[in-house]
Amino acid sequence: MTTTTDGEYRATGYAWYVLSILFVVYILNFIDRQVISILAEDIKRDLNLRDEDLGFLYGTAFGVFYALFGIPLGRLADSWHRVRLISVGLALWSTMTALSGLSKTGGQLAAARIGVGVGEATASPSAYSLISDYFPKKLRGTALSIYSAGIYVGAGISLFIGGLIVQSWNAAYPNGGPFGLAGWQAAFLAVGLPGIVISLWIATLREPVRGLSEGLAQPPHPAPFKAFFEELLTIVPPFTVIGAARLGTRTLLWNLVAAAITAAAIAVLVTLGEPLPQWLAVGIGCYAVFSWASALRHRDPPTFALIVGTPAFLCTVVAYGLNAFLSYAAGFWAAPYAMRELGVSPAEAGLILGGMGAVSGFLGVTVGGILGDKLRQRNAGGRLIMVTLGAVVPVPFLAIGFTTDTPLILYACLFLAQFTASWGLGNSAATTQDLVLPRMRGAATATYFIGTTLLGLALGPYLAGRVSSLTGSLSTGMLSLLVTVPITLGAAIAAFRLVPAAEASREDRARAAGETDFT
């Protein structure tokens, strides 16, 4: 980061180099996360699973723990060496992806997916914070959109590579290959192992001065891991009870009440016939987030005030979280729908869906980021216009795509749906970063991803699969999710109206909550 003659910060060539490497990290992130989609039909057959089980493995098992560990890891990103954190996390999630290929049961695969979620939770809080320090505010939406495009490139590559490997392996070894591995197992190993090597490259990046891009340089945290473990104590059950007790009787009482309500809700759902693993995981996630927010209110009132206590922030999270509810479900079920309902081969589905997904997502998130930055120049909440459009424009394309019996129409509709849905990603992320102080960016990113995981990833793919199992129709499963669109639209409009005042009052509200260090 350097300054111009008039004292403004500008991005250097090295900043763009860092962004390109972080882009590669995010590609690997989504290859490992998404490859299960193209492998789903084989996994379902070999492990004797149902559609809701596949939705649980892809979304809930991964997403809940990704969200929960994202909070303490986000705090660690706010206080420790962010480059090292990403490097360690990449090595972890790549190892767990490879171990997915050794799974013999659904339970083993679920455990590996949990490990992938924990490892990947290191990436975006650190990357968002790094990008915000390497790029000035006027370029932040564009930079974060470019980084976020790794979602679509990685997801596309995962489908292409996964489909090619599983089809070729199964053709060459119809009764199992070396070590008895099936094609889907070989695919997990093939995409997981390279990340371990690339993690060493990530470790060579320079760590920038935190907050310098806004003239609010922050000193190093004196005890980052102490803060991390204290944060962990507030969000990992049952240690949350100990953490609550340390904050006083009142906090402990409310924590126990929340745990009791959560347990009762899970019991009711199981009594009604819902599967225990899904709602136990979601219940743990909801209870843990409540516990963390309660503790944050006591331990760091300024951060609580600018994140949980800011309606503009929460509306932004809900708006994009419900956008992700549809996007994650469509992204996961597109390949199984093409293969199961339309007779498309794994290699063809991976090549076409993966290639088009990478192009449409990359173009959509980049175009959306550029337009959002321009709209923000006219209104501080301008980026929310793109979030709003990203919530409603894809709806007819999804409705047509998941009811057609023609592969070409499915491909075209999915291309347009993903292109338009991705307009909201970089803009919602940049909005949340603008609403907090530099030292809070990692925690803000973790909170943002709670919405996209607990609302989107942990519920969208599962509910589509659950309705599919109950009705016998994957089309019905996907179309049933469209009932959430009015809520998404309402949250996006509310955020648009609230963001300007919230951003303008950021420092004042932080100071009123007790913040003293603005240097």
Side-chain angles (χ1 to χ4, degrees), residues 333-345:
W333 288 111
Y337 181 83
M339 291 185 288
R340 185 187 308 176
E341 305 294 337
L342 307 184
V344 177
S345 69

Side-chain angles (χ1 to χ4, degrees), residues 7 14 29 50 106 142 152 166 237 314 348-351 374 396 444 489 493 519:
Y14 188 78
N29 187 299
R50 298 167 295 180
T142 299
Y152 306 102
V166 73
L314 298 180
E348 178 184 337
L351 175 63
K374 291 183 179 298
L489 182 60
I493 293 173
T519 59

Side-chain angles (χ1 to χ4, degrees), residues 221-309:
H221 194 285
F225 285 96
K226 182 176 183 293
F228 166 72
F229 284 113
E230 288 179 350
E231 196 78 45
L232 203 64
L233 197 65
T234 69
I235 199 166
V236 178
F239 302 113
T240 46
V241 176
I242 300 173
R246 293 169 60 186
L247 297 174
T249 304
R250 182 181 176 86
T251 302
L252 174 60
L253 178 61
W254 279 111
N255 189 281
L256 294 175
V257 169
I261 292 174
T262 301
I266 294 170
V268 169
L269 288 169
V270 172
T271 301
L272 293 175
E274 285 294 303
L276 176 61
Q278 165 68 22
W279 297 107
L280 179 62
V282 171
I284 288 173
C286 293
Y287 160 72
V289 169
F290 172 85
S291 176
W292 167 77
S294 298
L296 181 66
R297 186 170 192 169
H298 285 270
R299 294 185 298 105
D300 191 348
T303 298
F304 180 90
L306 295 192
I307 297 179
V308 183

Side-chain angles (χ1 to χ4, degrees), residues 19 127-128 131-132 139-149 426 429-430 433:
L19 178 60
Y128 276 42
I131 290 169
S132 294
L139 287 176
R140 197 167 292 156
T142 299
L144 286 172
S145 292
I146 292 173
Y147 167 75
S148 299
Q433 295 291 293

